[in-house]
């Protein structure tokens, strides 16, 4: 019997300990009389205060703390333990119930028209144990596996499958992983992290709070992430040596989980110096790595959570998106990270290849960053002229092949804190041409580096569009595998054709827009924006924080350095027999992935 899993969103109607209404989260609602079977599978009926997924016969009301503690489960529910994904739990339940001859029906909370069908491993076959996935991914010839020096997706792909993270963003929301709980004091000036007990590294040693603190300290002193962790008072941070880390902050950070830990929080042994031979506690462990050749990972059979089904992962560096698609269609790889809409159109019916579209929660914001540190973009009127000159819809139609949405110069579309009331900026070539002429702007340069498919095409199309406004744009191209080794290449240009993972605005601003942010590649200075973001981060009242963020977004929309022209889901393609590959900020996670027989 074929079983379909329907994904929908249920409104959390409870209130947190802070008196705030919950957010909308995805869950799956399963009707079944197989209570005894569920308990035998380790999915026990409970009303305990635990964090996990719910499977039960009616829509659930439960409480979600803004500080990402455990929701209080009400009504009779089945708790799926941490480490077991909804997809895996569903497969486990479905296979067992089918084998037992118990009928399984899947229903939505509301009409079925609200619930698009999402394929899962249970849909079309039996899950096979073992197997190898060859992953084609952007990588360079000099990549270090140290995430603080990462210049390609390959490094993150290895890291997030080898290391456990305290928190990961899944389906657009932060989810606790290695962390069992993360809580703050009343004014968000101190955060306490408690990790799961019984976790061991791949070498058999126990993972303790000392390792967590050492890992965060290492990330916090790295150039790539120092600004992100700069509010942690590491000099006074403490570990109890077992399961608990206490992090005092230099200023209040009500957004600490989503804007800091959810961005990167991998944990490795204290004292680690050799990151090219990483020892983690994750579902896979490193077998070998050679820069330019790739990495081989094998299953960690001693994993503390649900063990992976796959035997082996091979991460193969393929810098060109077209080459990645060719490798997939020719059978050289099984999974291609970052494929172009044009490449997708070449997939033949019956080829055995399918496209993974994770939706808005895993989209990329494509933009043109303007160099505010020098003329002509030190003039806000010239920045406005540039925004008016570009044709956003044409960029989406041509570069994304229509598979995306128009941007409005602010990152975070569709996510918590985004100001939907901002007026959509429309193209006005006449006005742009007048401003350029008045300011004496006749030529510009743009740097394009194909970090993800579409970057270069966007730059070239933009150059054509600006010709209509009387400006000649020179397109300079750079190797994406070495670009960030020398940022002077970026600074030498007027514009940078760029993309960023679509994050909540506050997190994006901390990483790219504020003074001294690691992604503020042109060194732009905007004290007003920087102060607004700092005020918002310190504000524990959600309504007041949202108001401050909206003020900051309005400022960015009016005079910021970025022309965010479109949002595109991060697309991957893979063999259709491979299922349940999760994504976190464009990086594939294979802990729940499996082949169907």
């Amino acid at each position: 019997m074929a079983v379909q899993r329907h994904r929908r969103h249920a409104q959390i109607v409870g209130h947190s300990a802070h008196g705030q209404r919950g957010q909308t989260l995805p869950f799956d609602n399963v009707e079944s009389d197989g209570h005894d079977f569920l308990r035998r599978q380790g999915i026990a009926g409970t009303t305990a205060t635990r964090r996990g997924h719910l499977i039960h016969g009616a829509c659930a009301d439960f409480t979600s703390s803004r500080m990402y503690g455990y929701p209080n489960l009400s009504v009779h529910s089945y708790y799926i333990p941490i480490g077991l994904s909804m997809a895996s739990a569903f497969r486990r339940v479905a296979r067992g119930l089918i084998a037992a001859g118990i009928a399984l029906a899947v229903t939505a909370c509301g009409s079925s028209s609200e619930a698009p069908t999402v394929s899962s491993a249970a849909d079309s076959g039996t899950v096979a144990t073992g197997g190898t996935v060859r992953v084609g991914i952007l990588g360079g010839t000099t990549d270090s596996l140290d995430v603080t020096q990462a210049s390609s997706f390959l490094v993150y792909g290895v890291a997030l499958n080898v290391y456990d993270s305290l928190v990961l963003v899944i389906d657009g929301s932060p989810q606790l992983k290695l962390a069992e709980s993360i809580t703050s004091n009343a004014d968000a000036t101190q955060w306490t992290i408690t990790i799961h007990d019984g976790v061991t590294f791949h070498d058999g040693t126990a993972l303790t709070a000392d390792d967590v603190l050492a890992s965060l300290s290492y990330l916090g002193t790295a150039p790539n992430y120092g600004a992100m962790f700069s509010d942690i008072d590491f000099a006074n941070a403490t570990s109890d040596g077992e399961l608990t880390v206490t992090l005092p902050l230099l200023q209040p950070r009500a957004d600490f989980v989503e804007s800091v830990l959810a961005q990167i929080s991998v944990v490795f042994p204290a004292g680690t110096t050799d990151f090219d031979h990483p020892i983690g506690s994750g579902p896979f462990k490193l077998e070998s790595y050679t820069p330019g050749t790739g990495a081989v990972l094998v299953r960690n059979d001693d994993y503390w959570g649900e063990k992976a089904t796959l035997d082996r992962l091979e991460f193969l560096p393929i810098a060109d998106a077209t080459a990645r698609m060719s490798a997939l269609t020719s059978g050289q790889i099984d999974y291609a990270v970052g494929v172009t809409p044009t490449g997708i159109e070449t997939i033949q019916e019956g080829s055995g290849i399918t496209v993974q579209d994770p939706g808005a929660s895993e989209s990329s914001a494509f933009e043109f960053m303007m160099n505010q540190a020098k003329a002509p973009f030190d003039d806000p009127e010239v920045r406005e002229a540039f925004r008016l000159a570009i044709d956003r819809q044409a960029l989406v139609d041509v570069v994304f092949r229509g598979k995306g949405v128009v941007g409005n110069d602010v990152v975070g579309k569709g996510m918590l804190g985004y100001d939907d009331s901002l007026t959509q900026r429309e193209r006005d070539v006449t006005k742009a041409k007048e401003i350029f002429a008045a300011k004496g702007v006749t030529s510009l340069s743009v740097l394009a580096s194909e970090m993800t498919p579409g970057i270069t095409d966007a730059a070239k199309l933009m150059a054509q569009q600006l010709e209509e406004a009387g400006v000649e744009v020179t397109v300079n191209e750079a190797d994406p595998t070495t670009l960030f080794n020398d940022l002077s290449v970026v600074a030498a240009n007027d514009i940078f054709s760029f993309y960023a993972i679509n994050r909540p605005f506050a997190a994006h601003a901390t990483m790219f827009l504020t003074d001294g942010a690691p992604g503020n590649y042109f060194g732009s200075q905007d004290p007003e924006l920087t102060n607004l973001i700092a005020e918002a981060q310190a504000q524990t009242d959600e309504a007041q924080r949202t108001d401050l963020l909206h003020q900051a977004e309005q400022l960015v929309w009016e005079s910021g350095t970025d022309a965010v022209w479109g949002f595109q889901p991060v697309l991957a393609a893979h063999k259709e027999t491979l299922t349940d590959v999760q994504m976190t900020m464009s990086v594939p996670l294979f802990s729940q992935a499996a082949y169907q027989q």
Side-chain angles (χ1 to χ4, degrees):
M1 177 180 73
V3 178
Q4 288 184 322
R5 183 180 69 180
H6 294 270
R7 168 155 293 203
R8 82 275 315 146
H9 288 76
Q11 178 66 35
I12 299 173
V13 299
H15 292 261
S16 73
H18 303 276
Q20 295 166 334
R21 196 163 183 81
Q23 58 184 323
T24 300
L25 296 172
F27 77 105
D28 294 79
N29 183 22
V30 180
E31 291 182 349
S32 170
D33 293 326
H35 292 188
D36 292 337
F37 171 78
L38 293 171
R39 292 190 179 94
R40 288 197 299 273
Q41 299 305 308
I43 304 173
T46 181
T47 55
T49 303
R50 300 286 300 277
R51 183 178 179 86
H53 303 293
L54 299 175
I55 292 182
H56 52 86
C59 296
D61 294 342
F62 59 105
T63 301
S64 177
S65 168
R66 180 173 58 83
M67 298 307 179
Y68 302 98
Y70 299 133
N72 299 316
L73 309 187
S74 65
V75 307
H76 188 76
S77 306
Y78 292 101
Y79 168 67
I80 300 173
I82 290 290
L84 181 62
S85 75
M86 175 58 71
S88 296
F90 189 89
R91 291 199 304 270
R92 181 183 294 184
V93 173
R95 291 198 299 270
L97 294 179
I98 292 169
I102 300 172
L104 180 67
V106 182
T107 62
C109 297
S111 68
S112 60
S113 63
E114 298 175 351
T117 300
V118 179
S119 64
S120 75
D123 287 339
S124 55
T126 302
V127 174
T129 301
T132 296
V133 176
R134 298 162 298 172
V135 183
I137 191 168
L138 176 64
T141 58
T142 60
D143 282 337
S144 164
L145 293 184
D146 184 346
V147 292
T148 68
Q149 301 176 29
S151 58
S152 75
F153 275 113
L154 184 146
V155 179
Y156 290 108
V158 172
L160 295 182
N161 284 281
V162 167
Y163 299 122
D164 277 315
S165 297
L166 296 171
V167 185
L168 284 176
V169 176
I170 304 294
D171 292 332
S173 300
Q175 293 187 12
L176 301 185
K177 293 299 181 180
L178 180 59
E180 187 174 48
S181 67
I182 302 176
T183 57
S184 81
N185 61 0
D187 62 359
T189 57
Q190 180 171 289
W191 288 81
T192 301
I193 302 170
T194 302
I195 60 172
H196 285 281
D197 195 6
V199 179
T200 59
F201 286 113
H202 298 152
D203 63 1
T205 59
L207 188 156
T208 71
D210 289 343
D211 302 301
V212 173
L213 182 54
S215 299
L216 294 178
S217 298
Y218 183 79
L219 294 170
T221 57
N224 285 4
Y225 300 112
M228 188 187 306
F229 289 85
S230 62
D231 287 328
I232 300 177
D233 181 6
F234 283 112
N236 293 303
T238 61
S239 158
D240 69 355
E242 296 182 358
L243 303 177
T244 303
V245 172
T246 302
L247 300 174
L249 304 185
L250 299 173
Q251 62 180 359
R253 286 296 300 269
D255 65 335
F256 184 70
V257 173
E258 59 265 39
S259 294
V260 181
L261 296 181
Q263 303 308 309
I264 185 163
S265 57
V266 293
V267 175
F268 38 82
T272 296
T273 57
D274 183 4
F275 288 94
D276 283 344
H277 298 85
I279 296 173
S281 60
F284 293 93
K285 54 187 178 181
L286 185 78
E287 181 177 89
S288 64
Y289 172 64
T290 303
T293 301
V296 176
L297 278 57
V298 295
R299 182 176 59 240
N300 174 18
D301 289 325
D302 297 317
Y303 188 53
W304 61 277
E306 185 192 17
K307 294 174 179 58
T309 297
L310 297 169
D311 290 325
R312 180 181 177 97
L313 302 175
E314 297 178 5
F315 284 90
L316 307 174
I318 305 175
D320 181 72
T322 302
R324 288 194 290 273
M325 181 59 80
S326 296
L328 179 64
T329 56
S330 64
Q332 298 175 60
I333 61 174
D334 309 298
Y335 189 98
V337 182
V339 296
T340 66
T342 302
I344 289 171
E345 292 174 353
T346 67
I347 297 175
Q348 300 294 318
E349 184 75 25
S351 65
I353 295 172
T354 190
V355 176
Q356 182 178 1
D357 181 350
S361 64
E362 292 292 342
S363 66
S364 290
F366 280 66
E367 60 187 84
F368 299 117
M369 299 175 71
M370 292 171 275
N371 191 347
Q372 187 181 347
K374 65 176 186 177
F377 287 124
D378 58 344
D379 185 335
E381 289 187 67
V382 178
R383 297 198 295 273
E384 172 69 4
F386 180 83
R387 290 193 180 95
L388 294 173
I390 61 174
D391 187 337
R392 300 157 195 265
Q393 189 61 59
L395 284 160
V396 168
D397 291 343
V398 174
V399 179
F400 296 166
R401 308 291 286 183
K403 295 178 173 66
V405 296
V406 166
N408 194 28
D409 302 328
V410 177
V411 170
K413 186 177 180 65
M415 306 193 82
L416 186 67
Y418 185 79
D419 187 357
D420 289 310
S421 69
L422 291 171
T423 302
Q424 176 62 53
R425 184 173 270 114
E426 302 291 344
R427 193 182 194 208
D428 189 337
V429 178
T430 301
K431 184 176 180 180
K433 189 171 185 177
E434 290 174 355
I435 296 173
F436 282 138
K439 299 292 183 177
V441 179
T442 58
S443 64
L444 295 167
S445 64
V446 59
L447 180 68
S449 183
E450 201 76 347
M451 295 171 287
T452 198
I455 293 287
T456 306
D457 287 345
K460 292 178 178 178
L461 180 55
M462 177 271 289
Q464 295 175 24
Q465 294 173 354
L466 259 70
E467 286 182 9
E468 300 175 47
V471 178
E472 180 181 352
V473 178
T474 301
V475 179
N476 299 316
E477 298 185 38
D479 183 350
T481 65
T482 59
L483 175 66
F484 292 99
N485 295 338
D486 181 10
L487 287 176
S488 65
V489 176
V490 179
N493 288 268
D494 300 309
I495 306 164
F496 186 22
S497 184
F498 187 68
Y499 88 105
I501 302 303
N502 188 30
R503 296 178 173 91
F505 174 75
H508 176 80
T510 303
M511 295 183 71
F512 293 98
L513 303 180
T514 55
D515 297 353
N520 188 343
Y521 300 121
F522 289 131
S524 302
Q525 300 290 312
D526 192 333
E528 184 179 0
L529 174 64
T530 299
N531 290 336
L532 275 172
I533 294 298
E535 287 183 52
Q537 291 170 337
Q539 180 55 252
T540 56
D541 181 89
E542 188 171 350
Q544 293 183 47
R545 184 168 67 255
T546 299
D547 180 65
L548 288 166
L549 288 175
H550 285 182
Q551 291 180 47
E553 290 170 39
Q554 181 70 37
L555 184 63
V556 168
W557 185 88
E558 290 175 352
S559 60
T561 60
D562 297 347
V564 180
W565 58 263
F567 293 86
Q568 181 192 46
V570 178
L571 303 173
H574 57 87
K575 288 183 177 178
E576 62 184 12
T577 54
L578 178 64
T579 61
D580 292 318
V581 180
Q582 290 184 310
M583 297 284 280
T584 179
M585 294 190 289
S586 304
V587 177
L589 304 175
F590 292 93
S591 61
Q592 309 300 334
Y595 282 111
Q596 296 180 39
Q597 292 179 336

